Amino acid sequence: VHKFCVVDMSSFYLDIIKDRLYCEKSEGKLRLSAQSAIYEILNTMVRLIAPILAFTSNEIWLSMPHGKNETESHIMLCDMPAAKADRFFDEEKTQRWNLVSALRDDVNKALELARADKTIGKPLEASVTLYLDEEAKERFGKISDMPLSTIFIVSEVNVVYGKGEGNRGESFDGVTVKIAPCTAPKCVRCWTHSHTVGESTEHPELCSRCVSVLS
């Protein structure tokens, strides 16, 4: 449970969705879907840990929202969660996310090196270029439609099929990662660097995403 909370949730999923929770429309699909996922995870996990962490799990239970058919008075009056493999588990999607996770590990290592040598400050200041050799090209094709800049928490991701200078990947074979400062201006609301900043006369300091949210 601790590994799941620290690695899968805090270091990966929650880190990625902070942007949409803070910056998307409060009733927008992206934000609501993230909140729904968090609720499903919490509602399941708190039941699973109840026999071991009885008091802690009940404190969580009394503080969280509940569905209309759930017992609110005490976690011990609730059933164990039923497996929902048919709803949530998909082998193809699992394989895709494993590839994304491996690539993200290599990008994070490159970002840390770039921060150490003062190339960038925060990851959102970075423009990431992925150089993919023939070995990596086919595997990358399975995840090329993913929102990689969001997943890496950077402002820009460029993909080049061929060799280039940078940090050779260790988790995603065949990739070389180059980090450079993003030249686009910074949005004062979401802190993402975007070439759309300045396009709006009403909100010249905002990117197009933030302009859309505010309107």
Side-chain angles (χ1 to χ4, degrees), residues 11 15 103-128 152-154 167 170 177-180:
S11 298
D15 198 28
L103 184 57
R104 187 174 187 262
D105 286 344
D106 287 334
V107 170
N108 281 343
K109 290 177 183 178
L111 288 170
E112 284 303 312
L113 292 173
R115 294 180 70 180
D117 65 18
K118 309 299 182 182
T119 300
I120 60 168
K122 300 176 184 292
L124 279 176
E125 297 174 10
S127 173
V128 177
F152 300 155
I153 318 178
V154 298
N167 298 282
E170 298 176 0
V177 184
K178 180 180 179 181
I179 307 297

Side-chain angles (χ1 to χ4, degrees), residues 56-95:
T56 300
S57 61
N58 195 53
E59 287 179 0
I60 297 170
W61 186 255
L62 295 177
S63 300
M64 61 181 282
H66 301 287
K68 60 182 179 180
N69 296 322
E70 292 178 340
T71 302
E72 298 185 26
S73 57
H74 205 290
I75 184 64
M76 294 303 176
L77 301 177
C78 301
D79 293 330
M80 275 288 171
K84 299 178 181 178
D86 57 331
R87 180 180 175 189
F88 292 121
F89 184 76
D90 183 299
E91 182 63 35
E92 181 180 348
K93 290 180 179 178
T94 299
Q95 291 177 2

